[in-house]
Amino acid sequence: VGHSRERVLAQTQNSTATEASPTESEPRPHAAERRSRWPLRSLSPRRISAVYLWIFFIALFAVITPETFLTQTTFSLLFRSGVITCVLALAFLVPLAAGGYDLSIGAVMALSLGIMIYLSIHSDIPVLACALIALVASGLTGFLSGYVIVRLHVNSFIATLGVGQVLAGAVLLLSNNTQLIGELPDYW
């Protein structure tokens, strides 16, 4: 009796295992078929939902106010201001992908802008050289943040929050707590 129960259990397990596994008679997708579905998978809403939302909002505002939204001025302002936000989002994305946070990106942007405008107002340095100096200062700030996080083992959240506060103070000192307004060439 004991052997027959074991035999029945073994047969049941074998039959369910063969039902679950694909048989040779079922066609498996070829590599060409899998490659042909690849572009469709890359366009799925799970991967690029922000693009679909962007298209949705453009269509929505185009229907609601076509006389003001569908103008060259609106698109020009939209794409000019969006570039800065996209660059900052990419700057935030790199440490986030590594499992850290960089809360100082806004302060780094403010510092580079402050340096750029301060140098263009108070010196005769060409605009491109001012931009390079601001870029180097931003890079050094990132190096300092990275050193504090990696070598001194400070949590990235705390370290970049502190660096952001120090940079905000540096911008206040640089600008003397006033608005910096500089003259940039037309091509800039």
Side-chain angles (χ1 to χ4, degrees):
V1 177
H3 294 293
S4 64
R5 278 190 195 158
E6 291 174 3
R7 197 175 306 140
V8 171
L9 284 173
Q11 288 175 352
T12 325
Q13 288 174 352
N14 286 341
S15 66
T16 56
T18 55
E19 288 172 7
S21 65
T23 60
E24 292 181 17
S25 62
E26 291 180 22
R28 294 182 65 190
H30 296 290
E33 290 176 24
R34 279 183 264 145
R35 273 184 261 139
S36 68
R37 286 185 278 176
W38 178 78
L40 296 178
R41 248 187 279 148
S42 63
L43 294 175
S44 75
R46 295 181 99 183
R47 296 189 70 149
I48 55 171
S49 60
V51 174
Y52 290 129
L53 283 173
W54 182 64
I55 292 170
F56 169 75
F57 283 121
I58 286 178
L60 177 71
F61 286 116
V63 169
I64 293 173
T65 57
E67 63 280 350
T68 55
F69 187 73
L70 294 178
T71 62
Q72 181 180 359
T73 306
T74 302
F75 282 102
S76 175
L77 288 173
L78 181 71
F79 287 112
R80 283 184 188 170
S81 65
V83 169
I84 295 169
T85 307
C86 287
V87 168
L88 284 178
L90 288 174
F92 187 75
L93 183 66
V94 172
L96 192 63
Y101 292 98
D102 187 0
L103 301 177
S104 65
I105 58 168
V108 172
M109 182 194 71
L111 177 73
S112 65
L113 234 137
I115 289 173
M116 173 80 188
I117 294 175
Y118 182 84
L119 289 176
S120 68
I121 292 172
H122 298 293
S123 70
D124 292 330
I125 301 174
V127 176
L128 289 176
C130 292
L132 286 174
I133 292 169
L135 187 65
V136 168
S138 299
L140 289 174
T141 303
F143 177 78
L144 175 69
S145 292
Y147 181 81
V148 168
I149 293 166
V150 174
R151 292 291 183 183
L152 301 180
H153 303 290
V154 177
N155 186 342
S156 64
F157 190 85
I158 302 298
T160 57
L161 189 63
V163 168
Q165 292 301 310
V166 169
L167 293 179
V171 171
L172 284 175
L173 285 174
L174 184 69
S175 66
N176 200 20
N177 203 17
T178 59
Q179 184 177 6
L180 294 174
I181 300 172
E183 293 292 324
L184 297 176
D186 291 335
Y187 66 86
W188 194 259

